Amino acid sequence: MVSRNADCFGFFFFLLGTVSCTLFLAVNGLYSASDDVIELTPTNFNKEVIQSESLWLVEFYAPWCGHCQRLTPEWKKAATALKGVVKVGAVDADKHQSLGGQYGVRGFPTIKIFGANKNKAEDYQGGRTSEAIVDAALSALRSLVKDRLSGRSGGSSSGRQSRESGGGDKKDVIELTDDSFDKNVINSDDVWMVEFYAPWCGHCKNLEPEWAAAATEVKEQTKGKVKLAAVDATVNQMLASRYGIRGFPTIKIFQKGEDPVDYDGGRTRSDIIARALDLFSDNAPPPELLEIISEDVLKTTCDAHQLCIISVLPHILDTGASGRNSYLDVMLKMAEKYKKKMWGWLWTEAGAQSDLESSLGIGGFGYPAMAAVNARKMKFALLKGSFSEQGINEFLRELSVGRGSTAPVGGGAFPKIHAVEPWDGKDGELPVEDDIDLSDVDLDDIWDKDEL
Protein backbone atom coordinates (compact mmCIF):
# COMPACT_ATOMS: atom_id res chain seq x y z
CA MET A 1 0.00 0.00 0.00
CA VAL A 2 2.80 2.37 0.94
CA SER A 3 4.61 1.57 -2.27
CA ARG A 4 1.46 2.14 -4.33
CA ASN A 5 0.85 5.50 -2.63
CA ALA A 6 4.46 6.42 -3.23
CA ASP A 7 4.04 5.56 -6.90
CA CYS A 8 0.91 7.68 -7.05
CA PHE A 9 2.64 10.61 -5.39
CA GLY A 10 5.63 10.10 -7.67
CA PHE A 11 3.41 10.12 -10.74
CA PHE A 12 1.61 13.21 -9.44
CA PHE A 13 4.85 15.14 -9.01
CA PHE A 14 6.11 13.91 -12.38
CA LEU A 15 2.90 15.14 -14.00
CA LEU A 16 3.07 18.42 -12.10
CA GLY A 17 6.68 18.89 -13.16
CA THR A 18 5.81 18.17 -16.79
CA VAL A 19 2.96 20.69 -16.76
CA SER A 20 5.11 23.29 -14.99
CA CYS A 21 7.91 22.79 -17.49
CA THR A 22 5.49 23.13 -20.38
CA LEU A 23 4.00 26.29 -18.91
CA PHE A 24 7.48 27.70 -18.30
CA LEU A 25 8.48 27.13 -21.91
CA ALA A 26 5.23 28.59 -23.19
CA VAL A 27 5.54 31.74 -21.12
CA ASN A 28 9.29 32.35 -21.37
CA GLY A 29 10.04 31.86 -25.03
CA LEU A 30 8.47 31.38 -28.45
CA TYR A 31 11.58 29.87 -30.04
CA SER A 32 14.00 27.11 -29.14
CA ALA A 33 17.49 26.02 -30.17
CA SER A 34 15.99 23.48 -32.59
CA ASP A 35 14.38 26.25 -34.67
CA ASP A 36 16.08 28.02 -37.55
CA VAL A 37 15.21 31.33 -35.88
CA ILE A 38 18.30 32.75 -34.15
CA GLU A 39 17.61 34.04 -30.64
CA LEU A 40 19.21 37.47 -30.18
CA THR A 41 20.07 39.28 -26.94
CA PRO A 42 22.00 42.44 -25.99
CA THR A 43 25.02 40.17 -25.50
CA ASN A 44 25.17 38.74 -29.02
CA PHE A 45 23.23 41.29 -31.09
CA ASN A 46 26.20 43.44 -32.07
CA LYS A 47 28.34 40.46 -33.10
CA GLU A 48 25.58 38.52 -34.86
CA VAL A 49 23.74 41.36 -36.61
CA ILE A 50 25.62 44.67 -36.62
CA GLN A 51 29.02 43.18 -37.52
CA SER A 52 27.51 40.76 -40.01
CA GLU A 53 27.61 41.21 -43.77
CA SER A 54 24.41 39.17 -44.10
CA LEU A 55 20.90 40.53 -44.52
CA TRP A 56 18.90 40.08 -41.33
CA LEU A 57 15.18 40.02 -40.57
CA VAL A 58 14.66 40.50 -36.84
CA GLU A 59 11.38 40.14 -34.96
CA PHE A 60 11.01 41.99 -31.66
CA TYR A 61 8.35 40.15 -29.66
CA ALA A 62 6.82 39.61 -26.24
CA PRO A 63 5.97 36.03 -25.19
CA TRP A 64 2.54 37.08 -23.87
CA CYS A 65 1.56 38.89 -27.09
CA GLY A 66 -1.20 37.09 -29.00
CA HIS A 67 -0.16 38.52 -32.37
CA CYS A 68 3.40 37.32 -31.70
CA GLN A 69 2.19 33.83 -30.85
CA ARG A 70 0.21 33.68 -34.12
CA LEU A 71 3.24 34.93 -36.07
CA THR A 72 5.59 32.32 -34.55
CA PRO A 73 4.84 29.34 -36.86
CA GLU A 74 5.03 31.60 -39.94
CA TRP A 75 8.30 33.14 -38.73
CA LYS A 76 9.75 29.66 -38.22
CA LYS A 77 8.67 28.57 -41.72
CA ALA A 78 10.25 31.68 -43.23
CA ALA A 79 13.48 31.08 -41.29
CA THR A 80 13.70 27.52 -42.58
CA ALA A 81 12.99 28.59 -46.17
CA LEU A 82 15.61 31.37 -46.00
CA LYS A 83 18.26 29.31 -44.22
CA GLY A 84 21.66 29.95 -45.77
CA VAL A 85 20.26 32.90 -47.74
CA VAL A 86 18.96 35.46 -45.24
CA LYS A 87 19.40 35.39 -41.46
CA VAL A 88 16.16 35.38 -39.46
CA GLY A 89 16.32 36.30 -35.77
CA ALA A 90 14.10 37.13 -32.83
CA VAL A 91 14.48 39.33 -29.74
CA ASP A 92 12.39 38.89 -26.61
CA ALA A 93 11.90 42.65 -26.25
CA ASP A 94 9.83 42.20 -23.12
CA LYS A 95 12.88 40.69 -21.45
CA HIS A 96 15.49 42.80 -23.26
CA GLN A 97 13.74 46.17 -23.19
CA SER A 98 16.92 48.15 -23.74
CA LEU A 99 17.48 46.43 -27.08
CA GLY A 100 13.91 47.09 -28.14
CA GLY A 101 14.16 50.70 -27.03
CA GLN A 102 17.31 51.20 -29.07
CA TYR A 103 15.35 50.47 -32.23
CA GLY A 104 12.21 52.37 -31.26
CA VAL A 105 10.06 49.31 -30.57
CA ARG A 106 6.74 50.48 -29.12
CA GLY A 107 4.51 47.49 -29.93
CA PHE A 108 4.66 43.79 -30.68
CA PRO A 109 5.54 42.21 -32.94
CA THR A 110 7.86 44.71 -34.63
CA ILE A 111 9.95 43.44 -37.53
CA LYS A 112 13.11 45.22 -38.71
CA ILE A 113 15.25 44.61 -41.80
CA PHE A 114 18.99 45.10 -41.31
CA GLY A 115 20.55 45.52 -44.75
CA ALA A 116 23.79 47.04 -45.98
CA ASN A 117 23.76 49.87 -43.44
CA LYS A 118 23.16 48.08 -40.16
CA ASN A 119 22.80 51.41 -38.34
CA LYS A 120 19.66 52.21 -40.35
CA ALA A 121 17.25 49.32 -39.94
CA GLU A 122 14.06 49.49 -42.03
CA ASP A 123 10.60 48.69 -40.73
CA TYR A 124 8.90 45.67 -42.32
CA GLN A 125 5.27 46.52 -43.02
CA GLY A 126 4.22 43.57 -45.14
CA GLY A 127 1.98 40.58 -44.50
CA ARG A 128 2.40 38.16 -41.61
CA THR A 129 2.51 34.94 -43.67
CA SER A 130 5.69 33.00 -44.36
CA GLU A 131 5.25 33.67 -48.09
CA ALA A 132 5.01 37.45 -47.60
CA ILE A 133 8.01 37.46 -45.25
CA VAL A 134 10.13 35.43 -47.70
CA ASP A 135 9.13 37.71 -50.60
CA ALA A 136 10.14 40.80 -48.63
CA ALA A 137 13.44 39.20 -47.62
CA LEU A 138 14.31 38.30 -51.20
CA SER A 139 13.36 41.79 -52.39
CA ALA A 140 15.62 43.34 -49.74
CA LEU A 141 18.38 40.91 -50.66
CA ARG A 142 18.08 41.89 -54.31
CA SER A 143 18.48 45.56 -53.37
CA LEU A 144 21.50 44.73 -51.23
CA VAL A 145 23.18 42.87 -54.09
CA LYS A 146 22.47 45.70 -56.54
CA ASP A 147 23.97 48.21 -54.09
CA ARG A 148 27.11 46.09 -53.79
CA LEU A 149 27.31 45.79 -57.57
CA SER A 150 27.16 49.55 -57.93
CA GLY A 151 29.69 50.05 -55.15
CA ARG A 152 27.24 51.63 -52.70
CA SER A 153 27.28 48.90 -50.08
CA GLY A 154 28.31 49.80 -46.54
CA GLY A 155 28.00 46.30 -45.15
CA SER A 156 31.58 45.04 -45.07
CA SER A 157 33.16 48.32 -43.99
CA SER A 158 30.70 48.73 -41.12
CA GLY A 159 31.50 45.21 -40.01
CA ARG A 160 35.22 45.92 -39.90
CA GLN A 161 34.64 49.19 -38.10
CA SER A 162 32.60 47.44 -35.42
CA ARG A 163 35.26 44.81 -34.82
CA GLU A 164 38.15 47.26 -34.80
CA SER A 165 36.68 50.24 -32.92
CA GLY A 166 33.67 48.86 -31.09
CA GLY A 167 31.15 50.15 -33.63
CA GLY A 168 31.57 53.89 -33.08
CA ASP A 169 33.76 56.84 -33.98
CA LYS A 170 35.19 58.95 -31.16
CA LYS A 171 34.77 62.07 -33.29
CA ASP A 172 31.13 62.20 -32.21
CA VAL A 173 32.08 62.27 -28.51
CA ILE A 174 32.66 65.91 -27.56
CA GLU A 175 35.71 66.43 -25.34
CA LEU A 176 35.03 69.05 -22.67
CA THR A 177 37.39 70.96 -20.40
CA ASP A 178 37.20 73.37 -17.46
CA ASP A 179 37.31 76.24 -19.95
CA SER A 180 34.78 74.95 -22.52
CA PHE A 181 32.19 73.28 -20.28
CA ASP A 182 29.90 76.18 -19.41
CA LYS A 183 29.84 77.61 -22.92
CA ASN A 184 28.96 74.28 -24.49
CA VAL A 185 26.78 72.65 -21.83
CA ILE A 186 25.34 75.10 -19.31
CA ASN A 187 24.40 77.71 -21.93
CA SER A 188 22.99 75.16 -24.37
CA ASP A 189 19.37 74.38 -25.18
CA ASP A 190 20.39 70.79 -26.02
CA VAL A 191 20.48 67.81 -23.70
CA TRP A 192 23.96 66.62 -22.68
CA MET A 193 25.10 63.26 -21.34
CA VAL A 194 28.58 63.75 -19.93
CA GLU A 195 30.99 61.00 -18.89
CA PHE A 196 33.61 61.89 -16.30
CA TYR A 197 36.49 59.44 -16.69
CA ALA A 198 40.08 58.71 -15.73
CA PRO A 199 42.48 57.42 -18.41
CA TRP A 200 43.81 54.67 -16.13
CA CYS A 201 40.32 53.40 -15.17
CA GLY A 202 39.53 49.92 -16.49
CA HIS A 203 35.76 50.42 -16.40
CA CYS A 204 36.21 53.66 -18.37
CA LYS A 205 38.19 51.80 -21.03
CA ASN A 206 35.42 49.20 -21.28
CA LEU A 207 32.82 51.96 -21.63
CA GLU A 208 34.74 53.91 -24.28
CA PRO A 209 33.69 51.95 -27.42
CA GLU A 210 30.09 51.73 -26.20
CA TRP A 211 30.01 55.47 -25.50
CA ALA A 212 31.54 56.25 -28.90
CA ALA A 213 29.10 54.00 -30.79
CA ALA A 214 26.16 55.47 -28.88
CA ALA A 215 27.35 59.03 -29.61
CA THR A 216 27.23 58.41 -33.35
CA GLU A 217 23.78 56.82 -33.27
CA VAL A 218 22.32 59.42 -30.92
CA LYS A 219 23.69 62.30 -33.00
CA GLU A 220 21.97 60.90 -36.08
CA GLN A 221 18.65 59.97 -34.50
CA THR A 222 18.21 63.21 -32.54
CA LYS A 223 19.73 65.46 -35.20
CA GLY A 224 22.29 66.64 -32.66
CA LYS A 225 19.74 67.63 -30.02
CA VAL A 226 21.20 65.14 -27.52
CA LYS A 227 24.96 65.21 -27.23
CA LEU A 228 27.38 62.74 -25.66
CA ALA A 229 30.54 64.21 -24.17
CA ALA A 230 33.53 63.22 -22.04
CA VAL A 231 35.61 64.98 -19.40
CA ASP A 232 39.03 63.76 -18.27
CA ALA A 233 38.43 64.31 -14.56
CA THR A 234 42.12 63.83 -13.69
CA VAL A 235 43.03 66.89 -15.78
CA ASN A 236 39.88 69.01 -15.35
CA GLN A 237 39.73 68.81 -11.59
CA MET A 238 37.64 71.97 -11.20
CA LEU A 239 34.76 70.29 -12.98
CA ALA A 240 35.26 67.05 -11.08
CA SER A 241 35.09 68.92 -7.78
CA ARG A 242 32.16 71.09 -8.88
CA TYR A 243 30.00 68.03 -9.61
CA GLY A 244 31.22 65.85 -6.77
CA ILE A 245 32.88 63.17 -8.87
CA ARG A 246 34.12 60.41 -6.55
CA GLY A 247 34.41 57.41 -8.88
CA PHE A 248 34.94 56.56 -12.52
CA PRO A 249 33.20 56.51 -14.84
CA THR A 250 30.44 58.83 -13.61
CA ILE A 251 27.79 59.92 -16.13
CA LYS A 252 25.62 62.97 -15.56
CA ILE A 253 22.69 64.36 -17.55
CA PHE A 254 22.47 68.13 -18.07
CA GLN A 255 19.29 69.88 -19.22
CA LYS A 256 18.81 73.63 -19.40
CA GLY A 257 17.28 75.12 -16.29
CA GLU A 258 17.58 71.90 -14.26
CA ASP A 259 20.10 70.50 -11.83
CA PRO A 260 22.27 67.72 -13.30
CA VAL A 261 21.18 64.18 -12.47
CA ASP A 262 23.15 60.95 -12.38
CA TYR A 263 22.69 58.39 -15.14
CA ASP A 264 22.24 55.04 -13.44
CA GLY A 265 21.36 52.92 -16.47
CA GLY A 266 23.27 50.16 -18.22
CA ARG A 267 26.66 50.72 -19.80
CA THR A 268 25.98 49.12 -23.18
CA ARG A 269 25.50 51.04 -26.40
CA SER A 270 21.82 50.03 -26.50
CA ASP A 271 21.19 51.16 -22.91
CA ILE A 272 22.79 54.55 -23.52
CA ILE A 273 20.93 55.11 -26.79
CA ALA A 274 17.59 54.16 -25.24
CA ARG A 275 18.05 56.71 -22.45
CA ALA A 276 19.19 59.39 -24.88
CA LEU A 277 16.13 58.86 -27.09
CA ASP A 278 13.85 59.08 -24.07
CA LEU A 279 15.47 62.37 -23.12
CA PHE A 280 15.08 63.61 -26.67
CA SER A 281 11.40 62.72 -26.94
CA ASP A 282 10.66 64.25 -23.53
CA ASN A 283 12.19 67.56 -24.63
CA ALA A 284 11.32 67.59 -28.32
CA PRO A 285 8.61 69.99 -29.49
CA PRO A 286 5.73 68.47 -31.44
CA PRO A 287 6.35 68.24 -35.19
CA GLU A 288 5.21 71.08 -37.41
CA LEU A 289 1.90 70.66 -39.21
CA LEU A 290 2.45 72.12 -42.68
CA GLU A 291 0.05 72.95 -45.46
CA ILE A 292 1.06 71.58 -48.88
CA ILE A 293 1.40 74.85 -50.77
CA SER A 294 4.25 73.76 -53.04
CA GLU A 295 6.14 70.74 -54.27
CA ASP A 296 9.07 71.66 -52.03
CA VAL A 297 6.96 71.35 -48.86
CA LEU A 298 5.82 67.84 -49.78
CA LYS A 299 9.20 66.61 -50.97
CA THR A 300 11.24 68.08 -48.11
CA THR A 301 8.91 66.75 -45.42
CA CYS A 302 8.42 63.26 -46.83
CA ASP A 303 12.07 62.75 -47.78
CA ALA A 304 13.25 63.72 -44.30
CA HIS A 305 10.95 61.37 -42.37
CA GLN A 306 10.26 57.65 -42.36
CA LEU A 307 6.54 58.35 -42.76
CA CYS A 308 4.63 61.47 -43.66
CA ILE A 309 1.03 61.72 -42.51
CA ILE A 310 -1.04 63.57 -45.11
CA SER A 311 -4.59 64.77 -44.40
CA VAL A 312 -7.02 66.06 -47.01
CA LEU A 313 -9.52 68.35 -45.28
CA PRO A 314 -12.91 69.47 -46.58
CA HIS A 315 -13.15 72.67 -48.60
CA ILE A 316 -13.27 75.79 -46.44
CA LEU A 317 -16.79 76.55 -47.73
CA ASP A 318 -17.96 73.23 -46.30
CA THR A 319 -16.57 73.66 -42.79
CA GLY A 320 -15.72 77.29 -42.19
CA ALA A 321 -12.69 78.31 -40.15
CA SER A 322 -13.93 76.74 -36.90
CA GLY A 323 -14.56 73.37 -38.54
CA ARG A 324 -11.17 73.34 -40.21
CA ASN A 325 -9.41 74.33 -37.01
CA SER A 326 -11.08 71.46 -35.18
CA TYR A 327 -9.61 69.01 -37.72
CA LEU A 328 -6.19 70.66 -37.44
CA ASP A 329 -6.39 70.42 -33.63
CA VAL A 330 -6.94 66.67 -33.91
CA MET A 331 -3.88 66.37 -36.13
CA LEU A 332 -1.76 68.45 -33.75
CA LYS A 333 -2.77 66.25 -30.81
CA MET A 334 -1.79 63.14 -32.75
CA ALA A 335 1.51 64.74 -33.80
CA GLU A 336 2.26 65.41 -30.14
CA LYS A 337 1.27 61.87 -29.12
CA TYR A 338 3.47 60.27 -31.77
CA LYS A 339 6.35 62.76 -31.72
CA LYS A 340 8.78 60.02 -30.69
CA LYS A 341 8.27 58.52 -34.13
CA MET A 342 9.57 61.72 -35.74
CA TRP A 343 7.09 61.54 -38.62
CA GLY A 344 6.22 64.42 -40.93
CA TRP A 345 2.71 65.94 -40.80
CA LEU A 346 1.03 67.64 -43.78
CA TRP A 347 -2.43 68.76 -44.88
CA THR A 348 -4.15 70.13 -47.94
CA GLU A 349 -7.62 71.29 -48.89
CA ALA A 350 -9.88 69.01 -50.91
CA GLY A 351 -9.42 69.71 -54.60
CA ALA A 352 -6.27 71.80 -54.16
CA GLN A 353 -4.00 68.86 -55.01
CA SER A 354 -6.34 66.53 -56.92
CA ASP A 355 -3.48 64.59 -58.56
CA LEU A 356 -2.02 63.82 -55.15
CA GLU A 357 -5.44 62.69 -53.91
CA SER A 358 -5.79 60.32 -56.86
CA SER A 359 -2.32 58.85 -56.36
CA LEU A 360 -3.25 58.05 -52.74
CA GLY A 361 -6.60 56.51 -53.58
CA ILE A 362 -8.61 59.32 -52.04
CA GLY A 363 -10.07 60.49 -55.33
CA GLY A 364 -12.45 63.35 -54.74
CA PHE A 365 -14.75 62.20 -51.96
CA GLY A 366 -14.91 61.10 -48.34
CA TYR A 367 -13.37 64.15 -46.65
CA PRO A 368 -11.60 64.47 -44.32
CA ALA A 369 -9.20 61.71 -45.35
CA MET A 370 -5.74 60.64 -44.18
CA ALA A 371 -2.88 58.66 -45.72
CA ALA A 372 0.45 57.59 -44.22
CA VAL A 373 3.13 57.59 -46.91
CA ASN A 374 6.56 55.97 -46.98
CA ALA A 375 8.33 58.09 -49.60
CA ARG A 376 11.34 55.77 -49.85
CA LYS A 377 9.19 52.79 -50.77
CA MET A 378 6.43 54.86 -52.38
CA LYS A 379 3.76 52.98 -50.48
CA PHE A 380 0.85 54.28 -48.46
CA ALA A 381 -1.86 53.20 -46.05
CA LEU A 382 -5.28 54.84 -45.77
CA LEU A 383 -7.24 55.70 -42.65
CA LYS A 384 -10.33 53.48 -42.77
CA GLY A 385 -11.88 54.61 -39.48
CA SER A 386 -13.18 57.96 -38.33
CA PHE A 387 -11.16 61.17 -38.55
CA SER A 388 -11.10 61.53 -34.77
CA GLU A 389 -8.51 61.17 -32.03
CA GLN A 390 -9.62 57.61 -31.40
CA GLY A 391 -9.85 56.63 -35.07
CA ILE A 392 -6.51 58.16 -36.02
CA ASN A 393 -4.80 56.77 -32.91
CA GLU A 394 -5.92 53.23 -33.81
CA PHE A 395 -4.72 53.74 -37.39
CA LEU A 396 -1.28 55.05 -36.37
CA ARG A 397 -0.89 52.45 -33.64
CA GLU A 398 -1.42 49.69 -36.20
CA LEU A 399 1.19 51.28 -38.45
CA SER A 400 3.61 51.55 -35.52
CA VAL A 401 3.62 47.80 -35.02
CA GLY A 402 3.81 46.96 -38.73
CA ARG A 403 0.17 46.07 -39.30
CA GLY A 404 -2.32 47.43 -41.79
CA SER A 405 -2.62 47.04 -45.54
CA THR A 406 -0.48 49.15 -47.87
CA ALA A 407 -0.63 49.97 -51.56
CA PRO A 408 1.82 51.52 -54.02
CA VAL A 409 1.55 55.25 -54.71
CA GLY A 410 -0.17 55.70 -58.06
CA GLY A 411 2.40 56.14 -60.82
CA GLY A 412 5.23 55.08 -58.48
CA ALA A 413 6.07 58.67 -57.53
CA PHE A 414 4.45 61.80 -56.18
CA PRO A 415 2.54 63.66 -58.91
CA LYS A 416 2.95 67.32 -59.80
CA ILE A 417 2.09 69.57 -56.88
CA HIS A 418 0.38 72.87 -57.66
CA ALA A 419 1.56 76.05 -55.97
CA VAL A 420 -1.33 77.49 -53.94
CA GLU A 421 -1.80 80.36 -51.54
CA PRO A 422 -1.67 79.31 -47.87
CA TRP A 423 -4.91 79.39 -45.92
CA ASP A 424 -5.40 82.77 -44.26
CA GLY A 425 -7.23 81.31 -41.26
CA LYS A 426 -10.56 82.88 -42.25
CA ASP A 427 -13.92 81.57 -43.39
CA GLY A 428 -14.25 81.05 -47.11
CA GLU A 429 -16.18 83.39 -49.37
CA LEU A 430 -18.30 82.44 -52.34
CA PRO A 431 -17.05 83.87 -55.64
CA VAL A 432 -18.78 87.07 -56.70
CA GLU A 433 -21.30 86.38 -59.48
CA ASP A 434 -21.83 88.80 -62.36
CA ASP A 435 -25.20 90.56 -62.39
CA ILE A 436 -27.41 89.30 -65.24
CA ASP A 437 -29.69 91.82 -66.95
CA LEU A 438 -32.96 90.10 -67.95
CA SER A 439 -34.73 93.27 -69.12
CA ASP A 440 -34.16 92.51 -72.81
CA VAL A 441 -35.27 88.88 -72.59
CA ASP A 442 -38.74 88.12 -74.02
CA LEU A 443 -40.02 85.55 -71.53
CA ASP A 444 -43.26 85.04 -73.53
CA ASP A 445 -41.20 84.02 -76.52
CA ILE A 446 -39.26 81.48 -74.42
CA TRP A 447 -42.51 79.98 -73.06
CA ASP A 448 -43.98 79.75 -76.58
CA LYS A 449 -40.90 77.78 -77.71
CA ASP A 450 -41.19 75.45 -74.74
CA GLU A 451 -44.79 74.66 -75.68
CA LEU A 452 -43.66 73.71 -79.17
Side-chain angles (χ1 to χ4, degrees), residues 70-83:
R70 286 190 287 275
L71 175 63
T72 298
E74 299 298 319
W75 196 246
K76 289 179 180 180
K77 285 181 189 176
T80 299
L82 293 167
K83 189 174 182 179

Side-chain angles (χ1 to χ4, degrees), residues 170 307 359 388 447:
K170 289 180 65 176
L307 287 180
S359 70
S388 62
W447 289 331

Side-chain angles (χ1 to χ4, degrees), residues 38-111:
I38 301 169
E39 280 276 16
L40 298 168
T41 68
T43 303
N44 68 358
F45 194 89
N46 189 61
K47 179 180 179 181
E48 292 284 350
V49 180
I50 303 303
Q51 295 182 18
S52 169
E53 295 187 357
S54 300
L55 179 78
W56 276 82
L57 266 66
V58 179
E59 174 203 3
F60 294 81
Y61 72 91
W64 45 261
C65 162
H67 292 295
C68 304
Q69 293 166 9
R70 286 190 287 275
L71 175 63
T72 298
E74 299 298 319
W75 196 246
K76 289 179 180 180
K77 285 181 189 176
T80 299
L82 293 167
K83 189 174 182 179
V85 180
V86 173
K87 299 288 185 86
V88 177
V91 174
D92 183 344
D94 189 48
K95 182 178 180 181
H96 306 297
Q97 295 183 12
S98 62
L99 194 52
Q102 178 183 334
Y103 292 101
V105 175
R106 297 289 182 267
F108 306 116
T110 292
I111 299 173

Side-chain angles (χ1 to χ4, degrees), residues 395-427:
F395 170 60
L396 298 179
R397 187 173 58 201
E398 292 289 295
L399 288 180
S400 298
V401 297
R403 291 195 292 269
S405 58
T406 61
V409 173
F414 284 130
K416 178 179 175 58
I417 299 299
H418 304 287
V420 297
E421 291 295 321
W423 180 45
D424 59 8
K426 300 178 182 177
D427 288 324

Side-chain angles (χ1 to χ4, degrees), residues 36 58 60 187 201 214 241 251 286 327 348 376:
D36 292 316
V58 179
F60 294 81
N187 298 330
C201 162
S241 175
I251 300 171
Y327 288 131
T348 185
R376 286 178 295 175

